[in-house]
């Protein structure tokens, strides 16, 4: 902003605006106008769609998200959803949506899949009937846990969104307590009744909470490195 001598100009000349405040005259550059291209408008629309879809995913999986209001996590999720939408094929069907199927809600811990090394899967057998498949495993061999762990609480949430419109179609949540020992747990199938029309995005989130035995007392784990939470599987119907 530049000042003018007394009896200065008021108005516009070229890309400069001359104006008066009290008994002083000033000059500033006129604001520039930017014309959006079709490509930038489309990209802005896609980003808005990704933001809305990510918001609904957070709402549907809130029971397994340690800090749902974490802005950094929200931004990472939007970026991941946007990346998936940008590369989505029109012919994709029942395909894991890229990195969305391995998204961590908390960067301070290792992903759930590295702490609990079992291949969680969400299946869509027939419309409206989903199922969670947890293969057989031995807890002390498949779950990485802190010393003195006596049990692990596994929280599971499944959410369904309409991929095209981003709307919520339904969700489901449950939890399993696993004794941390060397005994094999048999394969488990959890049936779920949720609507799964064409173009449905199904996401499954998991969080782990450890219970420890210290000094003869049962205590919850406070080490965030052992509090994994994230999306472990996702399919597009």
């Amino acid at each position: 902003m530049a000042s003018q001598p007394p009896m200065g100009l008021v108005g516009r000349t070229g890309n400069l605006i001359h104006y008066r405040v009290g008994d002083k005259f000033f000059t500033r550059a006129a604001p520039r106008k930017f014309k959006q291209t079709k490509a930038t408008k489309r990209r802005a629309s896609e980003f808005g769609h990704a933001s809305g879809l990510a918001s609904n995913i957070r709402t549907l999986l809130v029971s397994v998200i340690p800090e749902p209001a974490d802005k950094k996590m929200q931004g990472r999720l939007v970026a991941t959803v946007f990346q998936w939408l940008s590369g989505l094929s029109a012919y994709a069907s029942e395909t894991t949506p890229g990195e969305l199927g391995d998204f961590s809600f908390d960067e301070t811990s290792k992903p759930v899949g590295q702490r609990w090394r079992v291949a969680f899967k969400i299946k869509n057998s027939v419309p409206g009937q989903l199922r969670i498949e947890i293969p057989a495993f031995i807890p002390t061999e498949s779950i990485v846990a802190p010393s003195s762990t006596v049990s692990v609480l596994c929280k599971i949430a499944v959410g369904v969104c309409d991929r095209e419109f981003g709307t919520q179609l339904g969700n489901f949540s449950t939890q399993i307590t696993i004794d941390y020992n060397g005994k094999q747990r048999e394969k488990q199938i959890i049936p779920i009744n949720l609507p799964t029309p064409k173009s449905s995005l199904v996401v499954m989130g998991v969080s782990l909470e450890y219970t420890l035995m210290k000094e003869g007392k049962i205590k919850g784990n406070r080490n965030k490195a052992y509090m994994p939470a994230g999306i472990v599987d996702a399919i597009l119907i």
Side-chain angles (χ1 to χ4, degrees), residues 3-142:
S3 61
Q4 300 179 29
M7 302 302 292
L9 298 173
V10 175
R12 177 168 180 162
T13 57
N15 66 340
L16 298 177
I17 296 177
H18 312 286
Y19 61 100
R20 179 178 179 176
V21 178
D23 59 352
K24 294 184 179 181
F25 294 85
F26 299 90
T27 299
R28 63 177 174 83
R32 297 177 62 186
K33 293 183 179 180
F34 296 91
K35 185 177 181 180
Q36 280 192 318
T37 65
K38 290 183 178 180
T40 56
K41 287 182 179 180
R42 182 176 64 253
R43 192 169 182 83
S45 176
E46 291 174 349
F47 190 82
H49 179 47
S51 180
L53 189 56
S55 176
N56 282 324
I57 289 174
R58 294 197 314 272
T59 300
L60 294 170
L61 303 185
V62 69
S63 62
V64 300
I65 303 177
E67 299 181 33
D70 180 0
K71 297 298 183 182
K72 186 176 180 181
M73 177 275 292
Q74 293 178 9
R76 289 191 298 107
L77 182 58
V78 171
T80 301
V81 173
F82 178 72
Q83 182 181 7
W84 166 58
L85 289 174
S86 298
L88 185 63
S89 167
Y91 303 100
S93 178
E94 292 202 28
T95 303
T96 298
E99 296 179 1
L100 183 59
D102 190 29
F103 179 85
S104 291
F105 292 119
D106 189 349
E107 291 185 299
T108 61
S109 64
K110 291 184 178 180
V112 175
Q114 292 184 28
R115 291 294 182 193
W116 189 358
R117 299 189 290 263
V118 296
F120 269 90
K121 289 295 178 184
I122 184 76
K123 301 285 187 179
N124 180 55
S125 52
V126 295
Q129 293 184 19
L130 295 165
R131 68 180 188 273
I132 299 170
E133 294 185 357
I134 306 175
F137 68 96
I138 297 175
T140 52
E141 295 181 3
S142 299

Side-chain angles (χ1 to χ4, degrees), residues 147-160:
S147 61
S148 305
T149 295
V150 293
S151 66
V152 182
L153 177 64
C154 172
K155 295 182 178 181
I156 304 173
V158 176
V160 184

Side-chain angles (χ1 to χ4, degrees), residues 148 212-219:
S148 305
L212 316 177
M213 175 68 76
K214 287 191 174 183
E215 300 176 352
K217 296 181 179 180
I218 298 293
K219 297 182 178 181

